[in-house]
């Protein structure tokens, strides 16, 4: 062990250490080295002069040597010290400091979506969740994809050609699970109106109220779309709060589409991609099922609202 003495520099170099006899144990360094590893793990690399997004064990070990704090140290020694302190600086997760206050208006929107998903609907009413899945590329491969064989997985040629992209506009029926789809090369109000016209034709006129849950983006609330809605009063827009796209159930269906149809992307061209997606939708509709959303799905976010505003409780009870 080496340690700083009263006359030693604050950045002493550890050149000797003792190895514990326990199997798998790491070298023993002075406590200040352990403290400095923890300090580094709790900071971003940039202030240390390293152009990195995150630390990993090898990079922390290299930085200790670069700064002259130890003569050498292995990444396993760093990993064990981080493990003991429950630190994993190579991981990250997204979080949101919302600009939208959890006020009465926020609660009202959340409660309205909750009611659309959980209350009993009239016989002439339905709820659709609508959104777009953009930039779907065919990516034809230079060599055909090979099917699985004995001791062989599916083999997909790494190189592919670019030949444009498509955008999928889809609507998910929250009570039956049926999906309506429309593919287009561009994503504008014109394409959205074309999809709405398709829905107008496909949905029986006996459905007098069609509640549509969709994001409040410019394409969905543009002038042309508003004019179309004024001519088709049975379509009623409902917008979740900002940053609450998880409330749109079609996003769950997009996840299924990605896992089951678009995990391997090797379509000959845009026409083939369009045909395969339309076929997937048709086959989904043969066994369509709704997703199970209950009041508990919203309880956590509404509980936070109740802490921040006293008007949240009566709004929740109203639904």
């Amino acid at each position: 062990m080496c340690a700083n003495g009263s006359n030693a520099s604050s950045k002493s170099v550890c050149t000797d250490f003792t190895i514990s006899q326990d199997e798998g144990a790491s070298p023993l360094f002075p406590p200040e080295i352990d403290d400095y590893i923890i300090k580094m793990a709790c900071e971003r690399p940039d202030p240390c002069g390293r152009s990195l997004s995150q630390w990993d064990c090898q990079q922390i070990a290299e930085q200790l040597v670069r700064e002259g704090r130890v003569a050498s140290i292995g990444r396993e020694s760093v990993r064990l010290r981080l493990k003991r302190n429950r630190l994993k600086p190579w991981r990250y997760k997204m979080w949101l400091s919302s600009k939208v206050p959890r006020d009465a208006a926020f609660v009202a929107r959340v409660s309205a979506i909750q009611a659309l998903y959980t209350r009993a609907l009239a016989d002439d009413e339905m709820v659709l969740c609508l959104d777009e899945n953009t930039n779907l590329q065919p990516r034809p491969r230079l060599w055909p994809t090979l099917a699985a064989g004995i001791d062989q997985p599916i083999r997909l040629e790494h190189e592919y050609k670019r030949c444009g992209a498509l955008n999928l506009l889809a609507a998910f029926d929250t009570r039956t699970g049926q999906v309506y789809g429309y593919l287009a090369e561009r994503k504008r109000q014109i394409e959205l109106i074309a999809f709405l016209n398709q829905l107008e034709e496909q949905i029986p006129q006996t459905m007098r109220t069609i509640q549509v849950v969709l994001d409040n983006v410019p394409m969905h609330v543009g002038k042309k779309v508003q004019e179309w809605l004024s001519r088709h009063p049975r379509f009623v827009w409902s917008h979740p709060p900002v940053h609450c796209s998880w409330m749109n159930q079609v996003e769950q269906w997009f996840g299924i589409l990605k896992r089951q149809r678009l995990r391997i992307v090797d379509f000959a061209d845009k026409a083939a991609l369009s045909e395969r997606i339309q076929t997937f939708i048709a086959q989904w509709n043969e066994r369509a099922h709704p997703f199970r959303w209950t009041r508990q799905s919203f309880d956590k976010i509404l509980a936070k609202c109740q802490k921040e505003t006293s008007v949240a409780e009566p709004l929740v009870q109203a639904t």
Side-chain angles (χ1 to χ4, degrees), residues 95-102 106 109-110 214-217 239-248 301:
W95 69 284
L96 178 65
S97 177
S98 178
K99 298 179 181 178
V100 180
R102 294 188 177 96
F106 180 90
R109 282 196 175 190
V110 173
L214 72 173
D215 295 338
N216 191 17
V217 298
H239 302 292
V242 177
H243 305 312
C244 289
S245 59
W246 62 271
M247 293 183 187
N248 194 328
I301 190 168

Side-chain angles (χ1 to χ4, degrees), residues 149-200:
I150 297 176
D151 294 330
Q152 287 282 358
I154 294 175
R155 283 154 289 172
L156 180 69
E157 165 64 30
H158 179 74
E159 295 190 38
Y160 59 86
K161 295 183 290 185
R162 296 188 181 274
C163 53
L166 295 176
N167 301 289
L168 170 63
L169 290 80
F172 180 86
D173 188 329
T174 62
R175 297 311 194 267
T176 67
Q178 182 176 356
V179 173
Y180 304 86
Y182 179 83
L183 287 135
E185 295 192 1
R186 300 185 67 180
K187 190 189 75 169
R188 302 169 297 175
Q189 291 186 64
I190 296 174
E191 285 73 31
L192 176 57
I193 291 172
F195 181 40
L196 293 174
N197 286 328
Q198 175 183 311
L199 294 174
E200 172 69 17

Side-chain angles (χ1 to χ4, degrees), residues 42-304:
C42 295
E43 295 178 347
R44 297 292 305 279
D46 287 304
C48 295
R50 298 298 304 278
S51 182
L52 298 168
S53 295
Q54 304 161 260
W55 291 115
D56 63 21
C57 295
Q58 182 63 37
Q59 290 159 350
I60 290 177
E62 292 174 356
Q63 185 67 13
L64 289 170
V65 175
R66 182 178 287 106
E67 293 184 5
R69 297 185 179 275
V70 295
S72 66
I73 187 172
R75 62 182 180 183
E76 182 64 12
S77 296
V78 174
R79 187 191 70 81
L80 291 173
R81 284 161 173 79
L82 295 179
K83 181 179 180 181
R84 286 198 296 267
N85 291 278
R86 296 159 57 189
L87 289 169
K88 298 179 180 179
W90 50 87
R91 297 183 61 188
Y92 78 95
K93 68 176 182 179
M94 302 292 290
W95 69 284
L96 178 65
S97 177
S98 178
K99 298 179 181 178
V100 180
R102 294 188 177 96
D103 55 10
F106 180 90
V107 173
R109 282 196 175 190
V110 173
S111 300
I113 300 300
Q114 179 193 57
L116 287 177
Y117 289 174
T118 59
R119 67 174 172 83
L121 299 179
D123 294 338
D124 61 351
E125 182 183 18
M126 67 186 302
V127 178
L128 297 178
C129 291
L130 187 150
D131 206 350
E132 301 83 32
N133 196 345
T134 60
N135 195 34
L136 302 176
Q137 301 181 40
R139 296 188 178 183
R141 305 291 159 164
L142 300 184
W143 293 94
T145 301
L146 303 177
I150 297 176
D151 294 330
Q152 287 282 358
I154 294 175
R155 283 154 289 172
L156 180 69
E157 165 64 30
H158 179 74
E159 295 190 38
Y160 59 86
K161 295 183 290 185
R162 296 188 181 274
C163 53
L166 295 176
N167 301 289
L168 170 63
L169 290 80
F172 180 86
D173 188 329
T174 62
R175 297 311 194 267
T176 67
Q178 182 176 356
V179 173
Y180 304 86
Y182 179 83
L183 287 135
E185 295 192 1
R186 300 185 67 180
K187 190 189 75 169
R188 302 169 297 175
Q189 291 186 64
I190 296 174
E191 285 73 31
L192 176 57
I193 291 172
F195 181 40
L196 293 174
N197 286 328
Q198 175 183 311
L199 294 174
E200 172 69 17
E201 295 177 1
Q202 293 180 340
I203 299 175
Q205 292 297 318
T206 53
M207 290 293 174
R208 297 183 179 181
T209 302
I210 304 173
Q211 302 277 358
V212 183
V213 177
L214 72 173
D215 295 338
N216 191 17
V217 298
M219 173 183 166
H220 296 161
V221 296
K223 183 177 179 180
K224 294 179 180 178
V225 173
Q226 294 300 318
E227 292 174 352
W228 188 94
L229 290 173
S230 66
R231 299 192 301 270
H232 301 81
R234 67 175 181 153
F235 285 81
V236 180
W237 266 200
S238 294
H239 302 292
V242 177
H243 305 312
C244 289
S245 59
W246 62 271
M247 293 183 187
N248 194 328
Q249 294 191 31
V250 76
E251 297 290 351
Q252 291 179 259
W253 186 82
F254 283 152
I256 295 173
L257 172 69
K258 182 177 181 180
R259 292 192 301 272
Q260 296 186 4
R261 174 66 272 188
L262 302 178
R263 185 182 294 273
I264 295 178
V265 183
D266 59 346
F267 304 95
D269 49 34
K270 289 187 289 187
L273 172 61
S274 176
E275 187 275 330
R276 289 289 82 197
I277 291 179
Q278 293 286 7
T279 300
F280 181 87
I281 292 174
Q283 293 175 351
W284 165 272
N285 288 335
E286 292 175 0
R287 52 178 179 80
H289 62 83
F291 302 132
R292 185 174 179 270
W293 281 65
T294 65
R295 291 180 62 89
Q296 286 72 27
S297 304
F298 299 87
D299 281 349
K300 190 174 294 186
I301 190 168
L302 289 175
K304 292 181 180 178

